[in-house]
Amino acid sequence: KARSENAFVMVPESSVPQFVGKGGAHVKEMSASLGVDIQRVRKGQYNFKISGEASKVLAAKKAVDDWLVKREKAMEVLTLKLEREKDIAVILGEKGTVARSLQEDYKCKIDIDKTTLVLTVKGETEETRNVAMSKIQELLLEEREKIAARRAAAKQEDKMSLSAETSQDAVVGKTEEPVSRNRPSNTNSQSNSRNAPSRTHSHDKKGSQKSPLQPIGLAASKDLEGKINKKNVIDPSIDEGTEAGKSLFAMLLADD
């Protein structure tokens, strides 16, 4: 009969639930596959005892030690500090679909602390953790490139809009400029009308044209008003004018 032997192992308390399994399923499965009996003990520095044939106990103890090493590696995490709160939505995706896909593809666990914005990746192996973290960083980089492209497009659109408005204003200015040059100003019109000699003649009640009140080249007379009734009578006031004025005035009287 094979000699029985006992071996004791220490499983960290943080790993006990996983080692035992739900309803002791993991311990029972390991005991059956290794041909040993694995029991939890409450006293001593060890918390699990392996009983069975000596050769099988040694094999079982090595299997437990290997499981603990694997578990310890699985507990190692990679961390990443997110730059902004919106990065959480990029990693989680709609209803968490992106994060779940990453966990399934890379056999890892992704957690995000929304208060500190620290992301952690846990995986069974270092390789799976690194690959998962690289994929997360790639997603964040793609999102930043999209944001930068949208901002550049918006800036270019604003620039083109401003350029179009400037060009339109220039065209309107060129169209209105000839009109303003060709159209005389009211001030010049009024000035010209004031400086132009008046061609209006005085008329009596019957509409007949009166003789000029003041002959050319003669000084004004205070007593000369209305129509001159006497022909060929030279008013004494003409002595005040020039010789040319006197002659012209005499001719006008003679014509009457």
Side-chain angles (χ1 to χ4, degrees), residues 8-20 26-27 30 38-40 45-50 64-65 67-68 71:
F8 294 89
V9 293
M10 179 63 189
V11 177
E13 289 296 327
S14 60
S15 298
V16 168
Q18 289 75 24
F19 182 74
V20 174
H26 182 258
V27 169
M30 183 174 284
I38 302 174
Q39 297 289 334
R40 185 172 184 179
Q45 59 180 359
Y46 301 102
N47 51 5
F48 284 90
K49 182 180 73 171
I50 304 173
V64 173
D65 290 338
W67 183 91
L68 290 174
R71 173 66 184 172

Side-chain angles (χ1 to χ4, degrees), residues 186-202:
N186 293 334
T187 304
N188 294 335
S189 300
Q190 293 174 359
S191 176
N192 294 334
S193 64
R194 286 198 301 268
N195 296 331
S198 176
R199 298 183 180 180
T200 305
H201 300 281
S202 301

Side-chain angles (χ1 to χ4, degrees), residues 94-201:
E94 186 177 358
K95 297 181 180 180
T97 54
V98 175
R100 284 197 298 270
S101 177
L102 290 173
Q103 291 179 139
E104 292 174 0
D105 292 342
Y106 304 108
K107 308 300 181 185
C108 63
K109 174 69 175 176
I110 299 174
D111 292 310
I112 302 176
D113 189 328
K114 295 183 179 180
T115 303
T116 61
L117 298 182
V118 174
L119 175 145
T120 58
V121 178
K122 300 177 182 178
E124 294 183 357
T125 65
E126 182 179 0
E127 181 181 0
T128 57
R129 289 192 297 271
N130 289 335
V131 173
M133 181 62 77
S134 297
K135 183 61 178 178
I136 291 172
Q137 292 174 331
E138 182 181 336
L139 291 174
L140 294 175
L141 179 59
E142 289 177 357
E143 181 64 20
R144 283 168 175 71
E145 290 176 348
K146 290 179 182 178
I147 294 174
R150 287 195 295 267
R151 289 177 178 174
K155 186 176 181 179
Q156 181 66 19
E157 185 177 352
D158 292 342
K159 185 177 180 180
M160 293 178 63
S161 177
L162 180 60
S163 178
E165 291 177 2
T166 304
S167 300
Q168 185 176 3
D169 291 343
V171 171
V172 172
K174 290 181 179 179
T175 305
E176 293 179 350
E177 186 177 355
V179 177
S180 62
R181 285 202 304 264
N182 296 331
R183 182 182 300 169
S185 64
N186 293 334
T187 304
N188 294 335
S189 300
Q190 293 174 359
S191 176
N192 294 334
S193 64
R194 286 198 301 268
N195 296 331
S198 176
R199 298 183 180 180
T200 305
H201 300 281

